[in-house]
């Protein structure tokens, strides 16, 4: 059984995600649909790209991942399916797939009218283009029937904010926030360990310090802390509250990390 | 395999929708449950009716659609199952099913104690009445065992705000809002094309103009626009933001649409 | 087919719940995953404990219920699986399972590295510890392979606020709120009936009266009322609005209930 995952910013008040599952169930009845979630903030391509990057590795090879955060729906932006690491990534070519589909060996423009629903609406390609393409891939249709090969090198790829080693620490930045108000930085634990071994880190943003703790609970209530999170990156947190809300942390903010 | 869809205003903090799936899984283990969503604004029957109208056509014939937005639960309002177009629509008889079940050829009052859970609570007929009825229909029980036939003509039916052709355009109104802050109007593209062919439309609400664009992205940032949406109706939008929030658009507001 | 239910405070913006389903689908492909919901308020262990208590009875014997509201993730709090009434309850040993797993006859500390993912992160035991344990139980692994038996008597158990019979009525308290702004009290209908038979109740909180109605709809618009809810407990409500918001009802607030 093939798994198809769905990640969107459609919310769960309007039925859009359910309709996508309906289209997939109609065309690939044996595929198993797993919802990664539909409450990505509207239009937040980077948040969705980050979520998909963190989620995709936990699914079996061959899974078809569909991500639709698509403010350009109906414009000239391409619809694509990307094969990477033996799995498929389906969505608009606006960067939402890029951080998960890191080793693309095949990319298809989803331009086949035989795969799309007819007519294709101007506003809901999740239903009309991406769900049918995912179903076609899930039932094992040959890629040549699903779309037209395009160069993987030409796909839109938002830059990942690579951290820089400088002075007695690292320069990184905030990549995204999560539901608990944790701010995920771009600094991987692996990079830190290479530079500083087992030393504990302390992160700073605009003069506020987040000393490394072994876990969220390893600090006084309401204290700032940082922790190596589940994505392998340093996260800025507050025990029992939202660091993002209290300290107005925003994606893109620079973070300095030095040993304690 | 029969599909059962669930649409409610129960939210996803209290487990209510999961319990409905549990009841269905217990009684119809082979049915596939698809969640259309549970974040309909509390008590908003028209929003749910509109969502179900837009979703149901994308599911296979024979699907059992359950919609529970039910402020009158426990009062004398009837619980019903309606057969329309070969599919079933299950929920309170308060209009939530009416815009989707447009050609009812059989309606059942869900009054059989053999189908309900016992005892039936006063507040959660989703669990005690509608889920068991959906399970009974999904396993193919004969309709006479599921409920008592009632006249389809007597079902509660909220009026659909039919647009009117007048002067050099159309009078329509806002039917509902969606999660992105788009305001869906009652004007179908088919009606517009009959009157004005390929001419572009411009909609007005309280003096504010929303010129037709080919897609959400086809306007300047923060500009007002209108677009023929995925339900086949004209929608009022703002690029990159919520038209409903900025312009205080509300269901029922009159909309004037004329050619550009 | 075994059912695995998931209940968390992870929200649906970050993909965490979907990843848990991915881990379960990888290790127990035939298990059916049912989402009880992921919008428990962050860190609200009592809310989740109450939701699980209300949901679990509606699932078949043998279901594996996973509940992760886990502010102490990564600290010394134990991870456990509890067998109760022929079903399994998996989560942190912080009380979240206690009100549902009421007759524990076996408890396992989830300390087997063979069952956990490797490495175990410090922040996401839903993915690394609880989902794999649930999968192991769902495929029928012997309990000795899933964890180390511990004393069920030593599990963390938040006190249920037992109501007290006093004077001409009952003293109870608010246990939790729901999405509609109803406040669920600790007074069971069964206890009331033993004391007062069919007499109608009237509840009071800080001098405000909530007279019993047969259903939410059985009162004037915006009127306060109480109703015997779907959990078998008295609930404080407002017709067509949120009693919790208007009257600032909070868990723990004392409630006096007397006959009308």
């Amino acid at each position: 059984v093939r798994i198809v995952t769905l990640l969107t910013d459609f919310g769960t008040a309007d039925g859009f995600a359910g309709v996508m599952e309906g289209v997939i169930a109609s065309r690939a009845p044996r595929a198993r649909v797993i919802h990664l979630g539909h409450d990505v903030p509207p239009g937040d391509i980077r948040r969705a790209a980050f979520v998909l990057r963190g989620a995709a590795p936990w699914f079996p090879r061959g899974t078809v991942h569909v991500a639709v955060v698509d403010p350009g729906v109906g414009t000239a932006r391409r619809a694509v399916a990307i094969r990477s690491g033996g799995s498929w990534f389906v969505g608009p070519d606006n960067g939402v797939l890029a951080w998960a589909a890191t080793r693309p060996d095949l990319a298809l423009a989803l331009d086949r009218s035989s795969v799309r629903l007819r007519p294709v609406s101007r506003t809901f390609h999740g239903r009309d283009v991406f769900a049918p393409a995912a179903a076609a891939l899930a039932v094992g249709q040959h890629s040549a029937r699903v779309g037209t090969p395009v160069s993987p090198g030409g796909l839109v790829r938002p830059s990942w904010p690579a951290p820089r080693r400088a002075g007695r620490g690292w320069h990184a930045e905030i990549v995204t926030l999560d539901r608990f108000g944790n701010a995920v930085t771009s600094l991987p634990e692996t990079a830190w360990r290479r530079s500083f071994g087992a030393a504990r880190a302390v992160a700073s943003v605009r003069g506020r310090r987040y000393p490394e703790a072994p876990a969220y609970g390893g600090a006084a209530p309401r204290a700032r802390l940082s922790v190596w999170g589940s994505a392998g990156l340093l996260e800025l947190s507050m025990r029992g509250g939202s660091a993002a809300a209290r300290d107005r942390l925003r994606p893109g903010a620079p973070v300095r990390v030095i040993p304690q």
Side-chain angles (χ1 to χ4, degrees), chain A residues 8 10 16 21 27 59 62 87 129 133 137 151-153 166 211 239 243 247:
Chain A
T8 77
F10 292 166
F16 300 135
E21 185 170 353
R27 298 187 159 211
F59 286 83
S87 294
V129 177
L137 293 167
S151 165
R239 179 166 173 202
D247 295 342

Side-chain angles (χ1 to χ4, degrees), chain A residues 29-54:
Chain A
R30 292 164 52 94
R32 173 176 183 168
V33 174
I34 294 182
H35 296 267
L36 293 183
H38 302 288
D39 288 318
V40 172
D44 192 339
I45 294 168
R46 286 173 74 91
R47 174 80 164 259
F50 183 80
V51 169
L52 190 60
R53 170 190 183 273

Side-chain angles (χ1 to χ4, degrees), chain A residues 155-229:
Chain A
L155 296 167
V156 173
R157 173 165 289 275
S159 62
W160 177 264
R164 283 185 304 109
R165 181 78 177 78
R168 47 188 285 268
W170 284 86
H171 290 290
E173 72 176 57
I174 295 176
V175 181
T176 194
L177 311 174
D178 73 16
R179 119 100 153 183
F180 297 94
N182 302 310
V184 184
T185 78
S186 56
L187 184 63
E189 184 170 7
T190 49
W192 178 261
R193 298 278 169 243
R194 277 199 305 273
S195 315
F196 296 103
R200 292 212 165 183
V202 57
S204 310
V205 179
R206 291 193 306 268
R208 293 187 176 117
R209 287 163 49 87
Y210 302 80
E212 181 190 333
Y216 298 131
R222 317 299 287 180
R224 293 184 182 93
L225 65 130
S226 58
V227 64
W228 297 105

